[in-house]
Amino acid sequence: MITIENLTVSYGTTKKVIDTLDLELPDCTIHGVVGLNGSGKTTLLNAIYGLKKTDSGRILYNNRKINKKEMSLLVTENYFYPNITGREYLGLFDNLAFGTDKWNALFLLPLDDIIDHYSSGMKKKLAFMGILKQDKPVMILDEPFNGLDIEACRIIRQVLLRLKDRGKTVIITSHIIETLTNLCDHLHYLEKGKIILTKNKEEFGAFEKEIFASIENKNETLINELTAHGPDHLPD
Amino acid sequence: MIRSILYIRLKQAGRVATGLGLGRCLFLAGVSGFLAFLLFLQTAAFPNSLYAAGIYLAVIFLLQLNRPDKQFLKITFIHHKVIFLAEYLLLLIPLLICLAYHQLYQLLTATFVIAFLITHVDYKARHRSMNTMIQRVIPASCFEWKSGVRTSLVLMGVVWVTGMYTSFFIASVPVVLFFLGILPLGFYERGEPVQMVLAYEMGAVSFILYKIKMQVVLFTILSMPLILAFCIFHPDIWYIPVLEFLVLITSQGYLVLVKYAFYQPNTKPGGAQVFGLLGTIGLIIPILIPLVWLLSVRFYFKSVSNLNFYLDDYN
């Protein structure tokens, strides 16, 4: 069980991105964190992984401080070191049991080509293979479906569901709810650094309705006002 | 447009200066002042002024080739070449002042013309998927070398083979060693993703020592045949390439330390670039070598403290 207690994370001295957040993530489950751009999803994941200093609060894994040795992180940016091949990247992770070519039969990546030549979707698949090779009990995935085609999304979903059955705990963020509803066991809605809504699998329908309703109400009036004069006469 | 771009550049420079801190900024100002003084002395007489202007313009040319914002400026501004020219003329001010002071007006005009021509250079090096036996022999953990060798294998190979074949000339091996010593300095410019640092599963001290060890081992493998060839042909002065090798080894270590002292995932930190350049200048102007050694000690502690943030769980 991952337990997040009273977590606060700020940028600078004033801007609180995560605000006294409490969350419990049971083992062998997949958790989706949904929120608008800038709601704090990536900051939350970075704080869990220890890449962002926290102002207060603590993050525990089975009642002790969480450790990087137990986690793997897939970051949202598709950045790799230049001029190395996919195989060389995967070669960095020390796991002899991992069958790189067998897994690649699923992803069909040109592993002997340098990563700079990969498309963004291919880079995402390579990063995911890196996560699989690390084989850590907690997998933290920031926007793993960005830039992927339908087939790759389906493969990753299937793989994650199998890994959950094998005991992994997965935390995924996305700003698109639909990608998470048929994968996650729990969905958490993050707004202004706080989890304002948590639903289990059975309540996902209601979750989507509530979220969409709140977004639509907020923006309707402003969109009407801004587009009232046509595109050539947008108000200042 | 130019004013707003230059204003942004000023703000960026301010941010880099803030990141470096007052002490380092003063130190760099001192080094820059020293280099400007050398430039002033060198431009006093004609042949040297030509070399000084040539080196200065070569640096501007390399900047034009490698600047990461070129694509952005090309897409955003129609008159991007005017922006390049304005920026390069600003950077050339010390040289222009020196040339004007020494009344070298022909060279001054040539500098303007070459700066203008440089703004029209739009070459982008193609990334090559070269997989030779050499890349396979380099350990997976030395990805900087895998990457660097992939881009400069032909150059390194030509220089190395030339050095071996001409090792009976007294100057050949020392010059080739110097060149091979400078080449890997470019391998360590960019910060890797944090996953690649964590993949070593080591604490900060072990990680730094391992990276330096591998850098020294690979550079030794590259240099040793050349040194042996020199010793066969010139046994009475065997110590020349050995001493040069020792100086180059310390620069290689310095480079690793600079990279991780300023390490941030996925970036080319300004501080690392500035102090990395100082390491290269240290090889060209030997007076600065003791300074590089002193800085190495400083950057060892800084890199350990910086990496502890990422690797504390492996300590």
Side-chain angles (χ1 to χ4, degrees), chain A residues 140-196:
Chain A
I140 301 175
L141 313 174
D142 194 2
E143 306 279 3
F145 300 110
N146 269 9
L148 289 180
D149 57 45
I150 311 164
E151 191 189 10
C153 285
R154 192 179 148 75
I155 290 170
I156 289 182
R157 209 162 48 225
Q158 296 289 96
V159 169
L160 288 176
L161 287 168
R162 298 282 199 291
L163 290 177
K164 180 189 81 168
D165 295 339
R166 276 187 41 212
K168 306 273 187 208
T169 305
V170 183
I171 311 168
I172 300 187
T173 64
S174 180
H175 48 264
I176 305 165
I177 299 176
E178 291 88 335
T179 55
L180 299 183
T181 45
N182 50 2
L183 171 66
C184 298
D185 300 300
H186 306 275
L187 279 181
H188 311 277
Y189 190 73
L190 191 65
E191 190 178 284
K192 291 177 185 167
K194 284 180 187 288
I195 298 286
I196 57 162

Side-chain angles (χ1 to χ4, degrees), chain A residues 49 51 68 93 136, chain B residues 193-202 207 310-311 314:
Chain A
Y49 194 71
L51 290 185
K68 286 194 188 79
F93 303 108
K136 303 283 173 74
Chain B
V194 72
Q195 292 87 339
M196 292 175 80
V197 172
L198 294 166
Y200 290 77
E201 304 198 343
M202 289 178 184
F207 177 84
Y310 303 98
L311 298 174
Y314 294 98

Side-chain angles (χ1 to χ4, degrees), chain B residues 39-40 42-46 48-54 56-57 92-112:
Chain B
L39 181 73
F40 183 77
Q42 293 303 314
T43 47
F46 176 67
N48 284 0
S49 61
L50 189 64
Y51 301 141
Y56 210 124
L57 287 164
L92 282 165
I93 282 175
L95 177 67
L96 298 174
I97 291 173
C98 289
L99 294 179
Y101 183 85
H102 296 301
Q103 298 177 355
L104 297 166
Y105 298 118
Q106 282 177 328
L107 201 50
L108 188 74
T109 315
T111 304
F112 274 112

Side-chain angles (χ1 to χ4, degrees), chain A residues 210-224:
Chain A
E210 270 184 64
I211 299 304
F212 286 137
S214 78
I215 294 166
E216 276 171 23
N217 290 342
K218 201 160 48 180
N219 295 326
E220 196 83 7
T221 325
L222 190 57
I223 291 170
N224 286 341

Side-chain angles (χ1 to χ4, degrees), chain B residues 41 50 76 84 99 114 128 130 155 180 200 211 220 313:
Chain B
L41 293 181
L50 189 64
T76 318
F84 293 156
L99 294 179
I114 292 169
R128 279 175 289 189
M130 195 162 45
L155 184 63
L180 291 177
Y200 290 77
K211 293 294 272 192
T220 305
D313 289 336

Side-chain angles (χ1 to χ4, degrees), chain A residues 49-53 65-71 73-75 77 79-85 88-89 91-94 112-114 116-117 131 134 136, chain B residues 127-131 135 140-141 143-144 146-147 150-151 187-196 198-201 259 266-267 309-314:
Chain A
Y49 194 71
L51 290 185
K52 182 82 190 96
K53 279 182 183 152
K65 187 179 170 284
I66 200 160
N67 191 309
K68 286 194 188 79
K69 290 178 196 168
E70 297 151 338
M71 298 179 280
L73 171 72
L74 186 144
V75 294
E77 304 100 17
Y79 179 84
F80 291 88
Y81 200 78
N83 289 308
I84 59 169
T85 64
E88 286 165 0
Y89 171 72
L92 268 177
F93 303 108
D94 197 14
D112 293 315
D113 202 353
I114 59 166
D116 312 57
H117 292 169
I131 294 287
Q134 289 172 61
K136 303 283 173 74
Chain B
H127 294 286
R128 279 175 289 189
S129 287
M130 195 162 45
N131 286 317
Q135 272 104 28
S141 56
F143 56 87
E144 294 97 343
K146 280 182 185 281
S147 166
R150 187 163 281 122
T151 50
F187 295 0
Y188 284 85
E189 278 182 336
R190 191 172 279 275
E192 62 270 33
V194 72
Q195 292 87 339
M196 292 175 80
L198 294 166
Y200 290 77
E201 304 198 343
K259 176 182 172 181
N266 312 348
T267 54
F309 176 66
Y310 303 98
L311 298 174
D312 55 344
D313 289 336
Y314 294 98

